[in-house]
Amino acid sequence: MNERQQARRPGGRSARVGAQVHQAVTELISERGYGSFTVGEVAARAGVADSSIYRRWGNLETLLTDVTLTRLNAQSPMPDTGSLAGDLRTYAAQVAREITGPDGLAVVRLAVALSSNGQQGLQAGDELRAERTRQLQSMLDRAHERGERTLDALDVLDHILAPMYIRVLFGMVPLTPDYIDGLVDRLL
């Protein structure tokens, strides 16, 4: 295979390394919690050199933020069902599945830890909130264009996401469909 063919190949080594590093971070968070491992330990677990992680992410905080954003974005895309109520119910159900799944608690703990870890944590938390708010706003803008009631993205965070995250953090699961629908109903 020549250089030109390699450049066009989707994924490849870079995608594999990214996936291995993300999985290593998720496993280490599940096993040890936030702040209990180093870039070197992530690299060893992922089977890559420390320099690969530093070159791609710069530092552990940036890597952890990327892992969290990637997980949240991949597992909870913004639905478009044709109504705000339908979108919110579908989205809330997706988030509930994500945060109660095998690595869900680790991702929730990571998001909380990133948001409360000094100045770097504030930046990471701001980045997480900004991305999630941007995504929610796209759903809310579609609803507004359809002539539906206008909501604020922070209302969705406060009334749907926050209660689910708190329940998962304190072991108050499962998040039943009735519970999730009740959160949406109270917001609407």
Side-chain angles (χ1 to χ4, degrees):
M1 184 181 295
N2 65 36
E3 285 181 13
R4 195 170 221 197
Q5 288 172 318
Q6 283 183 324
R8 286 191 215 158
R9 187 179 66 183
R13 184 179 187 284
S14 180
R16 276 193 316 277
V17 167
Q20 289 169 293
V21 169
H22 279 221
Q23 185 60 39
V25 166
T26 303
E27 290 171 2
L28 287 165
I29 290 286
S30 292
E31 293 168 13
R32 301 182 192 175
Y34 176 80
S36 300
F37 55 88
T38 65
V39 167
E41 291 171 305
V42 172
R45 172 87 49 117
V48 301
D50 295 22
S51 59
S52 294
I53 292 175
Y54 286 115
R55 187 172 40 256
R56 188 167 182 171
W57 289 281
N59 60 45
L60 186 59
E61 208 71 26
T62 302
L63 169 60
L64 296 175
T65 301
D66 183 53
V67 169
T68 305
L69 283 171
T70 300
R71 288 289 302 270
L72 292 173
N73 294 340
Q75 295 182 3
S76 296
M78 291 298 119
D80 188 0
T81 65
S83 74
L84 181 57
D87 290 351
L88 288 172
R89 287 182 203 295
T90 301
Y91 177 68
Q94 288 172 344
V95 170
R97 277 191 304 277
E98 167 197 318
I99 64 177
T100 58
D103 298 325
L105 182 57
V107 173
V108 171
R109 285 181 176 159
L110 180 55
V112 169
L114 284 170
S115 297
S116 59
N117 185 32
Q119 186 58 37
Q120 281 185 323
L122 289 175
Q123 292 169 350
D126 288 347
E127 189 176 334
L128 291 169
R129 274 188 307 283
E131 177 63 17
R132 191 49 95 195
T133 300
R134 183 193 64 72
Q135 293 172 342
L136 288 169
Q137 194 59 54
S138 70
M139 176 178 33
L140 298 171
D141 289 347
R142 280 194 315 267
H144 179 72
E145 290 167 8
R146 290 189 300 259
E148 294 183 81
R149 177 179 169 201
T150 302
L151 294 173
D152 185 75
L154 287 177
D155 287 336
V156 177
L157 291 170
D158 287 342
H159 297 281
I160 296 177
L161 296 181
M164 290 193 302
Y165 276 58
I166 291 296
R167 282 183 170 244
V168 168
L169 282 170
F170 288 102
M172 300 165 59
V173 289
L175 301 177
T176 66
D178 287 341
Y179 173 75
I180 295 165
D181 286 345
L183 293 174
V184 173
D185 291 342
R186 283 189 291 279
L187 176 60
L188 293 175

